[in-house]
Amino acid sequence: MSESVLVQGAASGGGLPDPLPTGPPPVSRRGRTTSRWRGLALNLLSAVLGIGIWWGFAASGYNLPTPPEVASRFVDLIRAGTLQEDVFASLRRVLIGFALGVAAAVPVGFLMGWYPIARGLLEPWVQFFRTIPPLALIPLTIVLMGIDETPKIFVIFLAAFLACVIATFQGVVSVDRTLINAARVLGAGDLTIFRRVVVPASMPFILVGMRVGLGSSWATLVAAEIIGAQEGLGHRMQNAQLYFDLPTIFVGVISIGVLGLLMDRALLVAERRLTVWQERR
């Protein structure tokens, strides 16, 4: 803006002219609430449509149980206490394997992204195991670890670790070098830069990696519970397969999907709280 315009504005008693807006107007709380309710309504509509399509296929002669049949089996399993035991066993395995995987992946990813020597030493092994599906290691884990809980948790751990370590590494190497250089100019040491710049800037990548790792953990669960399991959703589905018990299989599939969805939504809430500074659309 030219100096004459500023002088004219001041001389007219209006002071400096108002600055032009530089971004979209902030969304009001009412607007956010309306958007949230609209999203929930769309989710509910999607669920109803999905159940309707499923019921239509079952009624058309496909070899599928109807929703009422699955609901009846769901109630029977709950009354017998079987479903609760299976859910608890599977949830315990996923949570332990996922937590251990994330706990190992985050520091390894930071080391790979921050220190070139660590990257040169660790990245080939990470990429090597990333090309091997965790399920392909099940025979090896049985031979080395037996058939108790350890091999089941290990393959889930590996699935979560490989997804999260790559996301963490990518988050560290994607940090804007301008921010790091500016912090160094202001006198910050490596520890301060790492804690105040690198970790916050990498947090969105880490949380996305955690969500991907969680999905991989649940995807690995059914195969992991083949290893001598006596309880669990995957074990129950394997037994139901032997007797062509489709309603029980559907109960297991739906239970895994619902549990995975709830855990993913919990991570999504954590992501929004930990990255409030991030611009969103």
Side-chain angles (χ1 to χ4, degrees):
M1 187 175 293
S2 65
E3 184 178 355
S4 60
V5 175
L6 296 176
V7 173
Q8 290 175 5
S12 62
L16 296 177
D18 294 335
L20 294 176
T22 58
V27 181
S28 64
R29 179 177 299 179
R30 181 178 180 181
R32 289 194 296 268
T33 303
T34 302
S35 177
R36 187 178 298 113
W37 280 108
R38 185 184 297 117
L40 290 175
L42 290 174
N43 292 158
L44 181 60
L45 176 62
S46 176
V48 171
L49 289 176
I51 294 174
I53 294 173
W54 165 23
W55 206 330
F57 275 109
S60 299
Y62 288 89
N63 188 23
L64 294 173
T66 62
E69 292 174 342
V70 174
S72 176
R73 182 58 52 85
F74 182 82
V75 172
D76 292 341
L77 292 174
I78 288 181
R79 288 177 176 173
T82 305
L83 185 60
Q84 295 92 311
E85 294 176 359
D86 291 337
V87 167
F88 177 76
S90 296
L91 196 59
R92 184 185 68 248
R93 291 166 183 149
V94 168
L95 287 176
I96 294 175
F98 173 71
L100 293 176
V102 172
V106 171
V108 171
F110 276 132
L111 287 173
M112 290 171 53
W114 192 250
Y115 297 107
I117 295 177
R119 183 186 311 177
L121 292 173
L122 297 175
E123 186 177 15
W125 290 105
V126 171
Q127 296 298 341
F128 172 79
F129 282 103
R130 227 166 56 89
T131 61
I132 303 174
L135 304 184
L137 298 176
I138 288 180
L140 180 62
T141 59
I142 293 176
V143 173
L144 296 178
M145 303 178 185
I147 58 173
D148 58 359
E149 291 294 297
T150 303
K152 304 177 186 61
I153 293 175
F154 176 76
V155 293
I156 295 173
F157 156 83
L158 193 60
F161 172 82
L162 293 174
C164 193
V165 71
I166 294 297
T168 304
F169 165 72
Q170 191 62 41
V172 175
V173 299
S174 299
V175 176
D176 191 351
R177 299 297 303 181
T178 304
L179 298 176
I180 297 176
N181 293 333
R184 291 193 190 280
V185 170
L186 294 174
D190 282 350
L191 182 59
T192 301
I193 292 173
F194 190 79
R195 182 170 55 90
R196 301 295 296 273
V197 177
V198 176
V199 172
S202 305
M203 191 58 64
F205 290 85
I206 296 173
L207 290 169
V208 169
M210 290 175 64
R211 294 180 65 190
V212 175
L214 179 62
S216 299
S217 299
W218 280 108
T220 311
L221 171 70
V222 175
E225 290 184 335
I226 297 176
I227 311 174
Q230 299 299 319
E231 56 183 358
L233 294 170
H235 167 73
R236 192 66 50 193
M237 293 167 62
Q238 292 290 331
N239 284 349
Q241 175 191 359
L242 300 176
Y243 302 99
F244 297 95
D245 187 358
L246 288 177
T248 300
I249 295 176
F250 266 68
V251 169
V253 170
I254 293 172
S255 299
I256 291 175
V258 170
L259 290 172
L261 181 62
L262 292 176
M263 293 176 68
D264 180 78
R265 287 297 178 265
L267 283 177
L268 189 59
V269 171
E271 178 184 357
R272 289 173 178 170
R273 292 183 178 274
L274 293 173
T275 59
V276 292
W277 50 269
Q278 189 179 23
E279 184 178 354
R280 303 181 185 277
R281 291 187 294 175

